[in-house]
Amino acid sequence: MPSVPLPFLAGLVFVLTLYRTLKGVETPGSRRYFFAFLALYASQALIVGLHFGYGVQALAPVQPVTAAIMPPLAYLAFRALTAERLERPWLHLALPPLAVAAAVGFVRDLVDPLLLVIFFAYGIALWRLTTSGGDDVMAEAALQRMRSALRAARLTAGLMFFFAVSDAALAAYTRLYGAAEVPLAVGLMNLGAIAAVVIYCLAPEFSPAKPAAGPSSVGATEADRAIVARVEVALDERAFYRNENLSLAKLARRAGLPARDVSAAVNRATGLNVSQFVNNRRIAEACRLLREGEGTVTRIMFEVGFSTKSNFNREFRRVTGMSPAEYRAKARKSKATVQKGPPA
């Protein structure tokens, strides 16, 4: 029975991990680039596996060309989640593979340096995208997926750097000592990629704690408070805050404001990020339902716009200082005391 080369497994693990970040992303451009990138990454894993695992030499000229398309596709996929549109994205998809294809056909010695430059350049561009600051970095992603999307972008950038360095080292080793150990080296490279993805999946998503109550007067202006007021109206219009896939971009469009302005104004006027600001409104409604309704905590969680119990419980405790069950028990006890009245 034929074995399954590690590139197959590494490709599958990475594709499934990144696919999780698509949840809550409804931007047509982003989904198109994401699906194209995931399909190409899986195909590239298949090509590498067949080439080095089964010795299919006919794929040798194809492999560097398809590899050159992956970095720009990854960059465009995550770039589409930002609040800013990119002019002429087709240039990113056309120039790198054309340059590598020309090198494969005419100047073979340029293939490896070109791939090194392409992977490093787009890795740097993607990493800079994730460190530009502000909630608007991943404005098109659902608020509860923004941090996951940001971490996935950093993972992708890190893998670009890893493959750039390892491919360059592999090319140098092959020139000096031949290709006998290349399959083993490729396997070790993919083990490293799998390890990076596993660490990404297991590592907790740290988020800075911020106060739950009270507007911040530091740096806030009347214009900021006016923007926050418009955002509050937009949130309450037809209970828009209950939308599970609500994103900063959708909220900004509903309020008729630029996403960057909404993010900055909410932060300055309330001391919260946009996700916390929206979750405060959701938790306020959840508290009302827990006090006045008989629905289960899970049902209330979904009704106010949360999709995971862990996120709901974390945000509920951030705002109220207790769990939903504790809040309901305290509210019922208080209500019973009021109805019973003072002792005669």
Side-chain angles (χ1 to χ4, degrees), residues 219-229 265 269:
T221 65
E222 286 302 320
D224 291 332
R225 286 184 274 273
I227 289 175
V228 171

Side-chain angles (χ1 to χ4, degrees), residues 88-328:
R88 292 177 292 189
W90 60 269
L91 287 175
H92 294 270
L93 297 177
L95 294 181
L98 286 176
V100 172
V104 169
F106 302 104
V107 192
R108 184 71 190 184
D109 288 343
L110 286 180
V111 171
D112 291 323
L114 274 175
L115 287 175
L116 180 66
V117 170
I118 291 168
F119 272 78
F120 255 111
Y122 280 100
I124 292 171
L126 185 52
W127 188 264
R128 289 182 62 186
L129 184 68
T130 68
T131 57
S132 58
D135 290 336
D136 54 304
V137 172
M138 296 288 166
E140 293 288 356
L143 291 173
Q144 51 196 334
R145 303 296 300 176
M146 286 175 67
R147 189 163 296 278
S148 295
L150 193 63
R151 292 174 70 237
R154 288 173 179 167
L155 169 67
T156 306
L159 286 178
M160 285 186 196
F161 296 139
F162 171 75
F163 283 124
V165 172
S166 57
D167 283 350
L170 183 61
Y173 180 89
T174 303
R175 285 178 180 277
L176 291 174
Y177 302 105
E181 301 298 329
V182 167
L184 175 61
V186 170
L188 293 175
M189 287 164 52
N190 282 277
L191 276 177
I194 293 173
V197 174
V198 170
I199 292 171
Y200 161 82
C201 292
L202 296 180
E205 294 187 28
F206 295 105
S207 58
K210 291 202 174 186
S216 170
S217 59
V218 180
T221 65
E222 286 302 320
D224 291 332
R225 286 184 274 273
I227 289 175
V228 171
R230 287 179 63 175
V231 171
E232 288 174 336
V233 170
L235 279 175
D236 284 331
E237 185 181 355
R238 299 180 183 177
F240 191 52
Y241 64 88
R242 295 185 178 185
N243 184 343
E244 176 185 330
N245 292 326
L246 178 61
S247 67
L248 169 59
K250 290 178 183 177
L251 179 57
R253 286 192 287 267
R254 175 66 69 93
L257 296 163
R260 187 177 296 273
D261 291 353
V262 170
S263 173
V266 167
N267 183 263
R268 286 193 295 261
T270 69
L272 305 170
N273 60 41
V274 174
S275 179
Q276 291 171 323
F277 180 75
V278 172
N279 284 340
N280 277 12
R281 179 64 186 90
R282 290 169 170 170
I283 296 300
E285 177 63 10
C287 288
R288 185 188 71 80
L289 294 174
L290 287 168
R291 290 194 307 269
E292 302 174 6
E294 296 298 327
T296 65
V297 171
T298 300
R299 179 178 176 181
I300 290 172
M301 175 192 78
F302 287 122
E303 189 171 341
V304 300
F306 288 94
S307 61
T308 63
K309 200 164 186 178
S310 60
N311 190 32
F312 176 59
N313 288 338
R314 182 175 62 250
E315 289 298 286
F316 197 96
R317 190 173 290 277
R318 175 182 65 82
V319 176
T320 67
M322 62 187 78
S323 70
E326 291 170 341
Y327 182 89
R328 170 169 268 176

